[in-house]
Amino acid sequence: MVFKRLMQAMGVGGPSVETVLTNPNCRPGGQLEGRIQVTGGDHQVDIEYVALGLVTRVEVESGDNEYDTNQEFHRQRATGAFRLEPGQRHDIPFRFDVPWETPVTELYGRHLHGMTMGLRTELEVARAVDKGDLDAVAVHPLPAQERLLEALLRLGFRFTRADVERGHIYGVRQSLPFYQEIEFYPAPQYGRAINQLEVTFIADSRQMQVVLELDKRGGLLTEGRDAFGRFTVDYATMDRVDWAAQLDGWLRQSLQRRGLFS
């Protein structure tokens, strides 16, 4: 009996958990739906809760060092406490809200290099928390984000990679503790002035803030520097704008002011 209790305390013969997503594809501001299947093990247990958390990989700068870490940024309880008998199966349907600022992982059916996103199921039994494996989630851009990215591609920019950086952007309303940067090689017409373009979207239900960062080329006597631009896009009126022309105009003006473009 003592050995059996010890094995139970170590989690041996305990419940198993499997999460099945109805569809792993979603958009910011949408939902993920599915079902959590909890199956009893060799002995009766009292489940304290089952929760779901959305997790992504985040780059952290600490002093002179940089490192990557997995960060949970949104969490929902799927159920409260219940008792699970040996071998019993307990099904928990769920709808999980995807935050508006969730980073994008897909573009035109292709995965964005550098991005990781998953839904993790967490179960607590007798004060022991079991964080299960991540179920991969594909986050597709909002229509407004898609329009802006398409405009950059039309101008000749080429996607290189994306990442998520911990921190807040100065002057931008932001609810999550990080932001995504989608990086592009410059279009030929800007190639002599900049090394790359980084795009960040901070979205909510009505509009999104767009931050453009230009990594400028340095000359023989000057160091390369970054230039920032920021504007807001309203979903209701964005179809009235030629975004390729708008972005081209902003980029040219920004570079001309700094004497990098004629």
Side-chain angles (χ1 to χ4, degrees):
M1 180 63 72
V2 173
F3 178 74
K4 185 175 181 180
R5 288 177 181 170
L6 177 61
M7 296 292 282
Q8 291 178 8
M10 294 172 62
V12 177
S16 62
V17 182
E18 181 181 6
T19 300
V20 179
L21 289 167
T22 304
N23 185 347
N25 297 282
C26 65
R27 294 183 190 269
Q31 288 186 325
L32 289 164
E33 298 185 13
R35 186 174 298 274
I36 303 168
Q37 300 172 351
V38 185
T39 305
D42 298 338
H43 49 273
Q44 180 190 81
V45 293
D46 289 322
I47 308 293
E48 299 296 330
Y49 67 82
V50 179
L52 294 163
L54 204 52
V55 178
T56 192
R57 186 169 59 228
V58 176
E59 183 179 294
V60 181
E61 291 188 11
S62 179
D64 295 330
N65 299 319
E66 291 184 1
Y67 63 92
D68 291 339
T69 184
N70 288 335
Q71 178 163 349
E72 180 181 283
F73 62 94
H74 185 59
R75 179 182 179 86
Q76 284 181 205
R77 286 262 182 125
T79 184
F82 62 94
R83 175 162 292 180
L84 193 66
E85 300 296 334
Q88 180 187 2
R89 175 170 153 171
H90 190 78
D91 285 359
I92 307 164
F94 67 84
R95 287 186 177 178
F96 185 90
D97 297 322
V98 179
W100 283 97
E101 292 180 24
T102 299
V104 173
T105 68
E106 316 294 316
L107 183 59
Y108 298 120
R110 297 184 63 182
H111 183 74
L112 295 183
H113 176 66
M115 290 304 304
T116 298
M117 187 72 61
L119 189 66
R120 181 166 61 197
T121 307
E122 183 177 292
L123 178 145
E124 180 177 331
V125 180
R127 300 181 184 176
V129 176
D130 178 19
K131 294 187 177 182
D133 294 334
L134 290 177
D135 291 283
V137 171
V139 184
H140 299 263
L142 294 165
Q145 295 169 336
E146 212 163 48
R147 287 287 301 276
L148 267 292
L149 294 172
E150 181 182 313
L152 289 172
L153 295 176
R154 283 169 51 201
L155 287 172
F157 286 89
R158 293 175 294 127
F159 170 75
T160 172
R161 70 183 305 274
D163 63 13
V164 177
E165 299 190 11
R166 183 177 291 176
H168 287 78
I169 301 173
Y170 178 78
V172 174
R173 298 189 311 274
Q174 186 180 333
S175 61
L176 295 182
F178 54 70
Y179 55 91
Q180 181 181 34
E181 289 185 336
I182 303 175
E183 301 174 7
F184 293 86
Y185 291 122
Q189 61 269 35
Y190 313 110
R192 293 185 178 181
I194 61 176
N195 290 316
Q196 69 177 15
L197 172 68
E198 297 174 350
V199 182
T200 295
F201 299 118
I202 307 293
D204 63 28
S205 60
R206 295 183 303 162
Q207 61 185 21
M208 69 178 180
Q209 300 167 86
V210 182
V211 180
L212 302 179
E213 180 179 350
L214 303 178
D215 182 7
K216 293 158 36 180
R217 292 189 182 278
L220 291 175
L221 302 176
T222 61
E223 293 184 0
R225 292 177 297 165
D226 294 338
F228 293 87
R230 186 171 67 237
F231 56 90
T232 300
V233 176
D234 289 311
Y235 304 146
T237 59
M238 76 163 301
D239 287 340
R240 305 172 193 169
V241 178
D242 181 342
W243 287 106
Q246 190 89 348
L247 289 169
D248 181 60
W250 182 87
L251 289 168
R252 290 175 183 272
Q253 289 176 15
S254 178
L255 294 170
Q256 284 169 353
R257 284 198 301 268
R258 294 163 175 82
L260 298 172
F261 200 85
S262 57

